Amino acid sequence: MFEKLLIANRGEIAVRVMATARRLGIRTVAVHSEADRNALHVRTADEAVLIGPAAVAESYLKAAAILDAARRTGAQAIHPGYGFLSENPEFVEAVEAAGLVFVGPPASAIRAMGLKDAAKRLMERAGVPVVPGYHGADQDPAMLAAEADRVGYPVLIKARAGGGGKGMRLVERPVDFAHALEGARREGQASFGDPAVLIERYVTAPRHVEMQVFADAHGNVVHLFERDCSLQRRHQKVIEEAPAPGMTPEVREAMGHAAIEAARAIGYRGAGTVEFIADGSVGLRPDGFWFMEMNTRLQVEHPVSEAITGLDFVETQLRVAVGEPLPFRQEDLAIRGHAFEARLYAEDVAKGFLPATGRLEHLSFPEATSFAPGPVRIDSGVVEGDTITPWYDPMIAKVIVHGEDRPSALRALTDTLDRVRVGGTVTNIGFLARLSRQPDFAAGRVDTGLIARDMERLSAEPDAPEDAPLVAALALTGLLAPSEGDDPWSRLRGFRSWGVAEVRVPLVHEGQGTTVSFGLTADGTVVSDGAAVSVRRDGDAVAVGRDGRNTSLVAVARHGKAMLFGGGASSTYHLLDALDAAGDPSGGGDVIAAPMPGVVTGLLVAVGDAVAAGDPMVVLEAMKMEHTLRAPRDGVVAEVLVEVGRQVEDGDVLVTLEPTVDD
């Protein structure tokens, strides 16, 4: 086995590979960009080498820098993870030319599957079922239109070098073909440098079912059963599961045989995934699935297959890479239970799943292990305190659950998603929680159009609980903090000997200011709107009751921010310091705060300027888009608390207005 392994990747997959390497006694080398200087994968590795600036083209895609890092550290092998250079045959050849081992398939296998049209012709010759269509080299528009007529509408136009839905168009009528072809070619050229396309019959209720395969250098090839990846948004996977719902032994045998033959046809070695499309409208049948493509690497969703087989795929990759035969035969493998994986991202669902950034001020998962078997497993490349930057994929974690059957695994998924807590950035956790309860998904009736059909309900954010501001104010004033030991004085926060002490707490929420007022009696009872309010605390969980309604939230207060979780949603309230805000922000009239993390690119006002409601004041760039923040009312600028070029976080106060004066 290797003594030292370089991981040519970042984030959760780099940390995941390091976990197996450490267990096997292999020292690890991380490579990193300047933006990732303090990233978790860097802190986890035995050694780390800086390879370039933040941009991936100048760091994680620089083969020469990665090879130089391997040479300087004495690494004997390179694991590519997924993405970046993992399916680049030139990189594989460069690794081998440097006398190192590439943990993955040979360059010839990657090339064979690199172009969809050539791969499908190869699969046809190998006897693997392929979706009816045109996969030839002739790209004349008139000829392609004629092929679409032959295949029969609706058809899919696909960029032959495509992936992730780029360069793909659904065409339902011949009259729309020319326009769709032009768009697919343009996108294929922009994304992959290749405008060529192929034509396929469109399956009306498509299911995405893929087979995990492993091959060694001794001619042994096996499949490790299937995964269903049909829950997709714009061709991006959201929740994956194994095994596929509705799968029969006959279909599994046929699909597994096809996947093995596909791997044999290209002389494969290592871990790979053969992706099939099936017609969900008629159920899974031995003659109702077709080859789509092969991913010549480890998949993002490999943990669900590890869960149902009990195997460590990275360990098997490493053993195959050093020339060992596969440690199992097909008859040794069996499915154990059911598993799901949900991808947790920093993204704003309400804004069309716009990627988000921010510092992870709170991050917790329920009773989870990392990179190890168990009912709940979390694979993540970040920890609390880390920052999601705009430079890379905004994945926070993969939430993996395992149960004895699909219903029990699904219950574990919904329960786990409900208890994930992320503060400091917006996430898709509420969307995932609602999706896990979607009736068709719960019943196993899945296809790739399920999310789109129910998007309005799935993306609808729940209203914030009515007493959320009160809970935030109580948390930020320390009234919800647990008592410290048996010290009686720690329970006298807000004490007065008689009457009701009035407490006013100025807050900022989603860029708007508000003041929460409540009373506190001598015995510690909270009074709001003239009535007593019951407040019960159990750890971070807070229950507020009044007028027959109850609000239950988890409240975490840190650094002047209260992060509230509950009902599949989260929100953040910032304590407004009077010295910073220059006045009471009641009603949101005096404060201009950042509605999201970003960089200040324009300041349009100065102290003393008179502004009218709606006047532009600050320009904020977030995720490569500019947002103009405007005056909430007529007034005079009291303070400008930022400068151009400054990075700000969600809720940071940027500008304040002089407080209004009552006549």
Side-chain angles (χ1 to χ4, degrees):
M1 184 55 72
F2 315 115
E3 294 180 1
K4 186 177 288 189
L5 174 70
L6 183 145
I7 297 91
N9 217 298
R10 64 175 303 280
E12 61 88 13
I13 186 57
V15 178
R16 188 265 170 275
V17 172
M18 291 174 191
T20 292
R22 185 184 306 110
R23 182 173 60 80
L24 296 176
I26 303 171
R27 293 181 60 80
T28 56
V29 179
V31 293
H32 66 91
S33 68
E34 292 174 352
D36 274 343
R37 190 179 295 274
N38 297 311
L40 180 60
H41 77 281
V42 174
R43 305 196 300 268
T44 302
D46 295 299
E47 300 175 62
V49 179
L50 174 67
I51 55 173
V56 295
E58 301 177 55
S59 53
Y60 295 106
L61 291 178
K62 284 186 67 174
I66 292 170
L67 290 171
D68 182 62
R71 179 187 57 77
R72 288 159 52 194
T73 58
Q76 300 154 302
I78 294 179
H79 194 300
Y82 46 69
F84 295 142
L85 294 169
S86 63
E87 295 181 280
N88 185 313
E90 288 76 22
F91 179 63
V92 177
E93 291 168 340
V95 169
E96 293 173 344
L100 306 174
V101 174
F102 180 78
V103 182
S108 58
I110 296 176
R111 284 198 176 94
M113 289 297 178
L115 296 177
K116 287 181 168 59
D117 55 351
K120 290 185 177 183
R121 291 195 297 271
L122 179 60
M123 292 300 100
E124 285 179 315
R125 292 196 295 270
V128 177
V130 173
V131 179
Y134 173 73
H135 314 123
D138 190 340
Q139 294 291 303
D140 177 70
M143 194 281 305
L144 292 173
E147 286 296 316
D149 290 337
R150 178 186 64 80
V151 171
Y153 286 87
V155 299
L156 277 178
I157 303 174
K158 288 184 176 181
R160 70 174 183 179
K166 295 182 176 67
M168 183 184 296
R169 297 291 188 277
L170 169 62
V171 189
E172 300 186 81
R173 304 179 304 164
V175 68
D176 299 324
F177 184 84
H179 177 71
L181 174 63
E182 183 178 328
R185 281 180 156 174
R186 188 167 52 246
E187 202 167 278
Q189 177 64 46
S191 299
F192 313 108
D194 185 351
V197 301
L198 50 86
I199 310 295
E200 288 183 352
R201 177 189 297 164
Y202 177 68
V203 180
T204 54
R207 285 184 61 178
H208 180 135
V209 183
E210 57 189 33
M211 274 280 173
Q212 176 72 52
V213 296
F214 256 103
D216 61 25
H218 307 280
N220 301 307
V221 186
V222 300
H223 73 80
L224 292 92
F225 314 112
E226 78 281 352
R227 297 184 288 261
D228 193 299
C229 306
S230 298
L231 281 193
Q232 301 180 9
R233 185 187 65 81
R234 298 174 187 168
H235 307 290
Q236 298 292 324
K237 299 169 186 175
V238 178
I239 295 179
E240 302 99 342
E241 63 180 298
M247 178 61 74
T248 67
E250 293 77 19
V251 177
R252 180 174 292 122
E253 182 179 357
M255 193 176 286
H257 175 76
I260 288 172
E261 290 306 308
R264 288 191 191 281
I266 59 172
Y268 201 73
R269 185 179 68 241
T273 298
V274 183
E275 299 190 349
F276 297 98
I277 188 170
D279 187 349
S281 65
V282 296
L284 296 175
R285 303 184 315 189
D287 61 348
F289 66 87
W290 304 277
F291 172 86
M292 285 198 299
E293 62 182 336
M294 183 174 185
N295 290 302
T296 51
R297 53 172 168 77
L298 197 65
Q299 289 279 88
V300 177
E301 58 272 21
H302 77 273
V304 294
S305 295
E306 290 185 320
I308 66 165
T309 60
L311 299 172
D312 182 331
F313 286 6
V314 173
E315 178 179 351
T316 304
Q317 281 187 297
L318 295 173
R319 294 195 181 283
V320 167
V322 297
E324 294 182 17
L326 287 175
F328 41 73
R329 298 169 297 176
Q330 191 68 58
E331 55 267 29
D332 299 325
L333 301 170
I335 295 174
R336 303 187 302 184
H338 203 96
F340 290 96
E341 174 183 297
R343 303 187 187 191
L344 174 60
Y345 280 99
E347 59 185 9
D348 194 331
V349 174
K351 295 179 180 177
F353 296 86
L354 186 71
T357 60
R359 184 176 182 272
L360 297 172
E361 299 191 27
H362 180 72
L363 182 63
S364 64
F365 300 97
E367 303 159 8
T369 60
S370 296
F371 316 113
V376 179
R377 164 180 164 180
I378 303 297
D379 284 15
S380 181
V382 293
V383 295
E384 188 172 284
D386 286 351
T387 298
I388 305 296
T389 75
W391 291 105
Y392 312 112
D393 182 87
M395 178 183 281
I396 296 173
K398 300 185 309 196
V399 178
I400 305 110
V401 299
H402 182 250
E404 62 181 15
D405 53 27
R406 191 174 192 271
S408 63
L410 187 57
R411 286 193 298 272
L413 179 65
T414 57
D415 178 66
T416 301
L417 293 174
D418 283 345
R419 295 191 290 151
V420 170
R421 315 292 185 206
V422 185
T425 183
V426 295
T427 75
N428 66 339
I429 189 64
F431 171 79
L432 293 173
R434 289 186 291 276
L435 181 56
S436 72
R437 293 178 168 87
Q438 205 277 346
D440 286 331
F441 172 55
R445 297 188 296 267
V446 294
D447 64 70
T448 58
L450 184 151
I451 290 177
R453 290 193 300 271
D454 205 12
M455 180 60 78
E456 183 176 354
R457 187 186 67 83
L458 292 171
S459 61
E461 293 292 336
D463 294 332
E466 201 168 328
D467 278 321
L470 176 60
V471 174
L474 293 170
L476 286 167
T477 52
L479 294 169
L480 295 179
S483 299
E484 300 171 10
D486 295 322
D487 177 11
W489 297 102
S490 69
R491 296 191 291 273
L492 296 178
R493 297 178 182 87
F495 171 81
R496 67 185 291 157
S497 59
W498 67 85
V500 178
E502 183 181 14
V503 182
R504 290 169 58 82
V505 185
L507 302 176
V508 176
H509 174 55
E510 294 183 349
Q512 298 297 313
T514 188
T515 294
V516 176
S517 299
F518 60 89
L520 200 65
T521 67
D523 64 359
T525 300
V526 174
V527 178
S528 177
D529 296 329
V533 177
S534 68
V535 179
R536 298 185 307 278
R537 174 183 55 78
D538 182 8
D540 289 333
V542 181
V544 174
R546 71 157 104 195
D547 300 330
R549 72 170 186 265
N550 292 285
T551 299
S552 296
L553 293 166
V554 169
V556 179
R558 288 179 184 162
H559 312 299
K561 297 179 182 180
M563 294 164 280
L564 307 184
F565 309 96
S570 63
S571 56
T572 301
Y573 290 79
H574 304 255
L575 181 63
L576 187 63
D577 190 321
L579 294 176
D580 291 335
D584 182 355
S586 181
D590 297 340
V591 178
I592 295 83
M596 67 194 76
V599 176
V600 176
T601 57
L603 278 174
L604 310 179
V605 294
V607 173
D609 286 354
V611 295
D615 282 355
M617 302 186 73
V618 181
V619 180
L620 188 68
E621 182 182 289
M623 302 309 296
K624 302 181 181 178
M625 297 177 62
E626 287 195 344
H627 307 266
T628 300
L629 310 183
R630 301 179 181 277
R633 62 168 173 84
D634 297 350
V636 176
V637 176
E639 287 186 291
V640 177
L641 303 171
V642 292
E643 62 279 341
V644 173
R646 177 175 164 184
Q647 174 78 42
V648 297
E649 298 298 329
D650 178 20
D652 285 355
V653 177
L654 311 179
V655 178
T656 66
L657 301 180
E658 291 183 358
T660 56
V661 179
D662 295 332
D663 294 333

